[in-house]
Amino acid sequence: MKYHATVASLAQDWSDNIATREVIEHRANFWTDPRALNPDRGAGEVIAVRWDRDAAKLVDWWKGSPAHDAMLRDPRFNVIGVGITFTDGNWQTTPNRYTMWGVVNLFGYSTLPAGTVSSPGGSTAPKPPTPPAASLCDPIARHQPPTLNLANAAIRSAGDLVAVDPYGTLRDYPALGGGKFGAARTVGKGFTGAKELFVADWDRDGVFDVVAQQLDGRLLVYPGLVGGGFKPAVQLGGTGWQNMTMAVGTWCGSNRLPQVLATNSTGQLFFYRNLGLQAIGAASSLGMTVPARRLAMVDYDADGLQDLLAVESNGYLRLYRGSGLPAPKAETRPVVGTGWTDYSGLRSLRDVTALNSTGIAGLTADGKVEYWDLGSGKLSTFTTVATGWGGLKLAQ
């Protein structure tokens, strides 16, 4: 983690702001501020307050909160800015005026901004750079999704296993932690005619949705409801999708909306931009061929960017590392596994074995779900996490 004075000025400004107003709240769209220096690998913010002005305990509180600690440890972030504000409050007479307010902004950059240093004291605040040229990865809007209680939602977490049976009944197997999953919950019906299903928060409203690649050529999204179930399907694509091999995930480093990567019958790789709950963006050729019978998107090497895994007809699992931009990194594509044609579906999962853990699950022909942990930045030995899935299709 590095330090930048300009980023620190952003954090300090907000710390002063909330201390003056005596309100604990996050700054909306803080990553769009020029002082954020155009992060392209994500952004985060943590806030804490204290009565005793003990900075070490402020940090301990963040570390003791699983959600805050996960943000501080997010591998995407490599530059930090810290703002601390002291006031004359006391808990007896000014119960909302804490004596110490702390704000930390964290940003991820593919290339560190000029003026970045290892620690405070050696950086001056340069003029913010000119915004980068427009990219297919640019989001249609930047906003922070709400943090919702998903206890009643159809899909409760990014670690849940989701499957559909031959009658179109959608089942959710909730992640329980420690590599365990709960009993199946019926969470939807009418999911018939699908070649593949994908789980993603497509519209980034804080609730997981289901994207359906239909055998009749349509591409649909079923927006999830926080109270359970799904809204009626919205058509993203009209024709031709039955011939594509596709993956859905947060491919772009600077855009947390899920995007689509897909290959056609000749293996040409295309990028499709997410435009929200309307027709998906036009196909953009990435100028490369990916011979694959199945694709999966996951942060394989734990660098904070999604990577593409391609299952080839010979069973090889080949890695195409993400760059945060539409095209994968230009490098040698290593084979990271063999025998992967045994899987009829692959799903990227988070928080299955531990908070912020990453892995990939595969459904075998004999109805077993095998989970591969990627905590070390490479495939480990799989564990069988479910059996009796014969006849089910694993949502990816």
Side-chain angles (χ1 to χ4, degrees):
M1 186 66 70
K2 305 292 185 180
Y3 172 86
H4 201 291
T6 301
V7 174
S9 71
L10 175 64
Q12 186 62 58
D13 175 72
W14 191 243
S15 179
D16 293 343
N17 183 297
I18 59 176
T20 300
R21 294 185 294 118
E22 300 180 7
V23 175
I24 302 172
E25 66 180 14
H26 287 284
R27 182 176 192 150
N29 304 325
F30 59 91
W31 56 90
T32 65
D33 190 291
R35 291 169 293 180
L37 304 177
N38 300 307
D40 61 356
R41 289 181 53 179
E45 181 178 80
V46 295
I47 295 174
V49 294
R50 291 195 66 82
W51 285 110
D52 57 12
R53 297 191 174 188
D54 189 328
K57 290 182 179 178
L58 197 75
V59 175
D60 287 341
W61 187 90
W62 280 322
K63 293 167 65 177
S65 165
H68 291 82
D69 187 57
M71 185 170 292
L72 294 173
R73 296 176 184 272
D74 192 315
R76 293 177 297 154
F77 303 147
N78 50 13
V79 173
I80 190 173
V82 180
I84 298 291
T85 304
F86 297 103
T87 75
D88 60 355
N90 65 76
W91 65 270
Q92 295 100 333
T93 60
T94 54
N96 295 323
R97 190 183 305 165
Y98 296 92
T99 57
M100 183 168 66
W101 301 68
V103 174
V104 174
N105 286 130
L106 307 108
F107 298 110
Y109 305 90
S110 298
T111 302
L112 292 175
T116 302
V117 293
S118 296
S119 60
S123 171
T124 59
K127 181 181 179 180
T130 302
S135 164
L136 289 172
C137 272
D138 289 345
I140 55 175
R142 294 178 183 267
H143 72 280
Q144 183 74 21
T147 301
L148 302 175
N149 182 346
L150 299 182
N152 296 319
I155 303 168
R156 297 172 177 171
S157 78
D160 288 11
L161 291 170
V162 180
V164 64
D165 69 16
Y167 306 101
T169 300
L170 194 69
R171 306 178 184 182
D172 176 80
Y173 299 76
L176 304 178
K180 305 295 183 182
F181 295 87
R185 302 162 50 239
T186 297
V187 296
K189 295 185 177 181
F191 289 83
T192 55
K195 176 182 178 181
E196 301 290 352
L197 296 178
F198 304 85
V199 176
D201 183 3
W202 182 259
D203 55 356
R204 207 167 184 239
D205 65 349
V207 185
F208 291 100
D209 312 312
V210 172
V211 177
Q213 180 188 12
Q214 296 293 100
L215 290 169
D216 64 8
R218 293 176 300 155
L219 185 66
L220 309 175
V221 59
Y222 294 83
L225 295 167
V226 68
F230 298 88
K231 296 178 184 178
V234 175
Q235 184 166 299
L236 302 177
T239 59
W241 284 91
Q242 77 276 21
N243 300 318
M244 308 296 283
T245 300
M246 56 181 281
V248 179
T250 50
W251 179 252
C252 293
S254 61
N255 185 347
R256 306 320 293 168
L257 282 171
Q259 313 293 328
V260 174
L261 289 180
T263 57
N264 62 12
S265 58
T266 61
Q268 292 176 288
L269 183 64
F270 295 91
F271 173 89
Y272 295 84
R273 190 178 181 211
N274 181 345
L275 299 178
L277 296 178
Q278 59 180 307
I280 199 168
S284 298
S285 175
L286 298 183
M288 58 187 299
T289 300
V290 177
R293 55 186 296 172
R294 186 169 299 281
L295 297 173
M297 207 181 291
V298 64
D299 182 8
Y300 182 91
D301 56 2
D303 68 348
L305 298 174
Q306 293 290 292
D307 306 306
L308 190 66
L309 292 173
V311 180
E312 300 176 353
S313 58
N314 58 6
Y316 284 176
L317 184 68
R318 195 173 298 275
L319 172 65
Y320 297 77
R321 292 201 301 150
S323 64
L325 299 173
K329 291 182 178 179
E331 60 182 13
T332 302
R333 320 291 185 188
V335 172
V336 295
T338 58
W340 280 70
T341 50
D342 293 343
Y343 293 120
S344 62
L346 297 174
R347 169 150 163 74
S348 172
L349 299 172
R350 287 183 60 85
D351 304 327
V352 169
T353 56
L355 182 67
N356 228 26
S357 65
T358 300
I360 191 164
L363 175 60
T364 65
D366 60 356
K368 296 177 182 177
V369 179
E370 298 174 345
Y371 178 73
W372 300 78
D373 186 75
L374 288 169
S376 62
K378 61 181 181 180
L379 290 171
S380 60
T381 303
F382 72 83
T383 57
T384 300
V385 295
T387 58
W389 276 47
L392 298 180
K393 182 185 295 290
L394 175 66
Q396 300 183 60

